[in-house]
Structures are given as structure tokens and as C-alpha cells.
Amino acid sequence: MKHNLAVTIDKASGFCFGVVYAIEMAEDILDNEDYLYCLGDIVHNDEEVKRLTDKGLRIIDHEQLGKLHGEKVLIRAHGEAPSTYQLALENDLTLIDASCPVVLKLQNRIKNSYDDKEQILIFGKHGHAEVIGLQGQTDGNAIVFQDLAELDNMELPAKFTLYSQTTKSTDKFYHIKDQLLSRGYELKANDTICRQVSNRYEDLEQFVVNYDKIIFVSGKKSSNGKVLYDVCKKHNNNAYFISNVAELELNWFNPNDKVGICGATSTPMWLMEEVKAALESF
């Protein structure tokens, strides 16, 4: 029996401008050259990474970077620590720098704070590429934490400056700020969350309430994917997280359901189109 699903893709979903910029730079080079090295996954979406590696993108890590000489290497939107630029000089590497302007601005602000001898706390995901780049501005001296509980057992200075990874939840950031103030700390809080990400919260809230079921498409590694999926789930309990078409399950749907598709800032539109086509064939 055909389910006859009415499927709509959220127009506000899909790549943020930082990711679009990085991917366009990679594609422009790969149109004229056989291969291009990229330091880390160009975007936290395995399907899009595969599409680009099939075109000649070669994903490398920092250890492999150290062994390259005289090559072109793309710096993705997440940005890099100063040590990467130093290594590029030493190894005669040409860096194609696609660092997101929002991330670069944040890196500069953190570096200025550090140069002014401020103690820096960064609300961010441990080991995330952007956070590693931010911490690099402080010679590794910033305190990185994912949630408040991590700070409970830590000796914090009485006075410090708080920053955030650009893709974190604004609500959580302000909750953390209020909690730290209530504990008696003197702090300067800098809301450095990208508005292209945080504006999606409101867009999604308004989008997901119009549908019986929501399919949220995102890579498992995407930080903002987790944040945005939580927003979907909060406002529509029938929301499902998938990374590709193969993860769709027919038993999620009833005949004639209205289904909304949305995604992270790292989710390509072509992938959401594929999901739409699969749902319409159910």
C-alpha cells in the first residue's frame, strides 16, 4: 500500500555561507587539478565528503600534513591554530584558506584577550576542529568545557572572560553565564555564536510544528546538527535523526502524513532532495 506522504523541505536548511565558501573553493580547484589536500573533513557530513573525495579531494590529518612538502592544502571553515600556518611556512605549503569569517573574527578576539593577560574560558566541544583552533590562539591555556558540571571541580580564577564556539546553543550559553555570575565570579561574557546558526532555532521551531513527522538529516559528527535536532524534538516529538536515505524506516509513517525535512548547516541540499524522493516513493 502506498503511503502517499506529502513531503516538504525546509527552505532555511542546508549549508551556511562558511561551508558554501569552503566547498566552492575546493570545487574550483578540483575542476582544474587532479587532487587537493584538505586538512580534516571539509564538512561534518560523510555523504558530502564522499562526493568531494570522488572528485579528488584528499582528506588528511595534522600528522600527514607534517610530511607534505610543496603541496596545496585547503583549510576548512572551522579554522586552524597558528601552529598550522607556521608548519605550512616551514614545509613550503600553499594554504587555500577557507576559514569562516565568523570563526576568524572570534580567533582574533580570543587572541587579543589572551594578549591582554585575561584568563579565558571557552564553551565548546572537546576536540572539535574549531575549538582546537580557538585554543591555539591562547597557546593551549584557555579552559575548554562542554557543560557546567565540568567546572564544578575546577579551581577557577575569580575573574575571567567567557567565549563560545560559534555553533553552540545561545540558550545554554546565557544559562552558563547566569550560573557563573550567581556563583560570584566576575566575568566578561562574549556571545560569539554565529547568528546564521542561532537564527535557525527560531526558523525550525516555526517549521516543525506544521508537520506530522520530521526527518532531520545530518552527519553524526556535526555539533550544530545535535543542537538543531534537539530544537526539532522539543517542538515536535515525532522527529527522527538520519544521516542518509538508508536509515529511513517505513514504520515511522502513517498514510497521508505531512512530512517535513530539515538539516544542519553542514547538510547538503542534494541529500535532503534524495530523502524527499525516497519518502515520496513509500
Side-chain angles (χ1 to χ4, degrees):
M1 186 185 84
K2 199 147 167 53
H3 270 56
N4 221 16
L5 303 174
V7 189
T8 307
I9 296 175
D10 171 28
K11 288 192 169 52
S13 283
F15 291 151
C16 61
F17 70 84
V19 170
V20 169
Y21 178 62
I23 287 172
E24 283 179 352
M25 283 178 97
E27 289 186 316
D28 285 350
I29 291 169
L30 291 169
D31 283 345
N32 300 304
E33 298 179 26
D34 292 338
Y35 68 90
L36 171 66
Y37 289 104
C38 177
L39 187 53
D41 285 346
I42 189 166
V43 61
H44 285 151
N45 186 284
D46 291 345
E47 313 300 311
E48 180 66 2
V49 169
K50 183 182 182 316
R51 184 183 75 83
L52 289 163
T53 51
D54 288 348
K55 283 188 156 205
L57 195 69
R58 297 179 182 176
I59 308 291
I60 56 169
D61 59 23
H62 286 82
E63 190 183 335
Q64 292 165 306
L65 181 76
K67 295 171 186 164
L68 285 186
H69 293 269
E71 295 279 5
K72 275 185 189 164
V73 181
L74 183 80
I75 301 290
R76 59 199 172 157
H78 301 95
E80 277 294 321
S83 54
T84 300
Y85 295 88
Q86 186 56 43
L87 179 68
L89 278 174
E90 291 163 10
N91 286 11
D92 190 29
L93 299 171
T94 303
L95 293 184
I96 314 295
D97 199 340
S99 298
C100 170
V102 178
V103 174
L104 285 178
K105 186 178 172 190
L106 172 53
Q107 286 186 351
N108 283 331
R109 287 181 69 179
I110 288 180
K111 186 176 185 330
N112 290 337
S113 286
Y114 182 66
D115 290 346
D116 288 341
K117 306 284 187 286
E118 294 172 15
Q119 175 59 57
I120 294 161
L121 265 68
I122 299 171
F123 170 45
K125 181 181 175 185
H126 293 293
H128 188 281
E130 181 192 320
V131 174
I132 292 168
L134 299 177
Q135 215 180 359
Q137 310 303 319
T138 71
D139 294 331
N141 289 312
I143 296 168
V144 174
F145 67 100
Q146 278 176 206
D147 55 56
L148 267 173
E150 282 180 57
L151 301 178
D152 290 346
N153 309 318
M154 227 179 255
E155 277 292 320
L156 292 179
K159 181 180 179 183
F160 50 82
T161 303
L162 177 66
Y163 287 98
S164 171
Q165 179 182 341
T166 59
T167 51
K168 281 294 182 194
S169 153
T170 27
D171 288 351
K172 277 191 186 159
F173 177 79
Y174 283 103
H175 174 69
I176 286 165
K177 175 192 169 183
D178 292 343
Q179 286 291 312
L180 290 170
L181 284 170
S182 73
R183 293 178 190 185
Y185 293 108
E186 187 185 334
L187 70 131
K188 273 201 297 197
N190 299 286
D191 173 356
T192 48
I193 292 159
C194 173
R195 285 300 172 257
Q196 217 184 345
V197 175
S198 63
N199 289 347
R200 293 255 172 114
Y201 308 156
E202 284 171 36
D203 291 341
L204 276 181
E205 285 170 22
Q206 290 163 12
F207 177 78
V208 301
V209 293
N210 300 312
Y211 298 91
D212 302 308
K213 306 285 158 55
I214 291 294
I215 300 300
F216 185 82
V217 189
S218 171
K220 301 274 192 292
K221 298 178 200 165
S222 168
S223 286
N224 84 81
K226 291 182 182 66
V227 172
L228 294 173
Y229 174 64
D230 287 344
V231 172
C232 291
K233 195 80 179 157
K234 183 176 163 189
H235 295 275
N236 185 331
N237 202 36
N238 295 312
Y240 299 91
F241 186 116
I242 66 163
S243 293
N244 55 49
V245 172
E247 293 175 7
L248 284 171
E249 292 188 28
L250 183 59
N251 62 11
W252 292 343
F253 307 99
N254 298 316
N256 303 313
D257 267 351
K258 283 170 67 188
V259 183
I261 298 173
C262 44
T265 55
S266 50
T267 304
M269 189 52 78
W270 65 261
L271 185 56
M272 289 185 278
E273 299 276 9
E274 264 186 19
V275 171
K276 181 175 191 275
L279 289 172
E280 287 173 343
S281 73
F282 279 179

